[in-house]
Amino acid sequence: MEITAELISIALCTYNGEAYLAEQLLSLTRQTYKNIEIVIVDDSSSDHTVSIIRNFQAADSRIKLYCNEQNLGFNANFKKAISLCTAKYVAIADQDDIWMEDKLSIMMAKIGDNLLCYHNSAYINDQGTVSGKSTLSAHRFTEGFCSNLLVLNNCVSGHACLIRKELLDQASPFPQDLYYDWWLSYTAACQGRITFTTETLVHYRLHNNSITRADKKHSKALRIQNFRYFRDHSLTPPNVSLFLSSLLYQYKKSESRFFSLPLFTMLLKNYAVLFYTRKRSLFSNLRFIFRESIN
């Protein structure tokens, strides 16, 4: 049963996704929430991706396909897809996942006055076999005024988000080298307008060609850069801005020392905040703090 007649735009970026795309498109077109548009921007694929989309488009007029003449890269292509969405609500889709049929109905019922709502996802492998693990296996979810909990780690995945399109304007411009879902969730959290459901609404496929699998771990330099981005965000609460400024000051001072006890102490003092969203062992987090304090 549909909760509302509001149109939802589903933004889907594709690139050489023929292996799993048909299964995902089938799950999108079978949503119990019917008032949708599926905005697909293909980033100059060289396989059968576009042909698969056109076959689905012939049977479902809600699918809108745009093809880039040249490859823009994931971030630029995502921005283009979002700009082409016409609804007040936008759901982000990956090309290789599988959505539960009631995902959008549940998310629309949950989002309320929030700018962003996210959910749990079950991990599957190349063959679609459920691994028994999920987003909540590795992360703690958070909501409300929680921007301080998101400065080191992120628990929000783009494929799990339903957002109000106004959030995109508030988050603009997007930092070029920071995950867009992290930036969006932080922006919403700065205003206390982020929420979640622990319901599992997507089968999230982990395979060797996925973007997140291919991405390397953030270096210390990138973490420091992220802290600057968050500190300088126009919506960052004063207390969080002060904390980040102090943290950046200690990182700067640590450059002239082999081991920085002040940085080590500050990271340890704020352990509960910095390491809240990522479920790791105490030993693993302490080892991270120690390594972070070494120049």
Side-chain angles (χ1 to χ4, degrees), residues 190 228 260:
C190 285
R228 291 197 186 101
S260 174

Side-chain angles (χ1 to χ4, degrees), residues 24 30 43 72 106 109 131 135 153 169 220 258 260 276 279 284:
Q24 170 67 312
R30 286 181 173 176
D43 204 16
L72 300 180
I106 292 173
S131 69
T135 313
N153 295 305
D169 295 329
K220 182 190 290 190
F258 172 74
S260 174
Y276 177 79
K279 291 181 180 178
S284 177

Side-chain angles (χ1 to χ4, degrees), residues 115 128 138 158:
L115 292 167

Side-chain angles (χ1 to χ4, degrees), residues 65-169:
L65 173 62
Y66 303 87
C67 297
N68 298 333
E69 293 184 3
Q70 295 182 333
N71 185 276
L72 300 180
F74 180 77
N75 283 338
N77 200 38
F78 168 75
K79 292 177 185 177
K80 180 176 179 178
I82 290 294
S83 72
L84 293 167
C85 292
T86 65
K88 292 192 295 184
Y89 295 90
V90 178
I92 302 164
D94 289 343
Q95 65 181 1
D96 45 11
D97 297 337
I98 305 170
W99 285 20
M100 308 307 180
E101 291 184 0
D102 56 353
K103 164 174 167 154
L104 291 181
S105 294
I106 292 173
M107 295 295 279
M108 279 297 285
K110 177 67 178 177
I111 194 168
D113 189 45
N114 290 287
L115 292 167
L116 184 151
C117 180
Y118 63 105
H119 61 72
N120 188 39
S121 299
Y123 297 161
I124 60 174
N125 63 13
D126 300 59
Q127 290 75 40
T129 303
V130 178
S131 69
K133 295 183 179 181
S134 70
T135 313
L136 280 171
S137 300
H139 298 85
R140 296 180 185 87
F141 286 177
T142 185
E143 61 184 352
F145 287 99
C146 58
S147 57
N148 60 328
L149 302 179
L150 297 174
V151 296
L152 181 61
N153 295 305
N154 179 36
C155 59
V156 181
S157 297
H159 76 271
C161 291
L162 176 67
I163 64 174
R164 292 180 182 271
K165 202 173 183 183
E166 63 191 88
L167 176 61
L168 298 168
D169 295 329

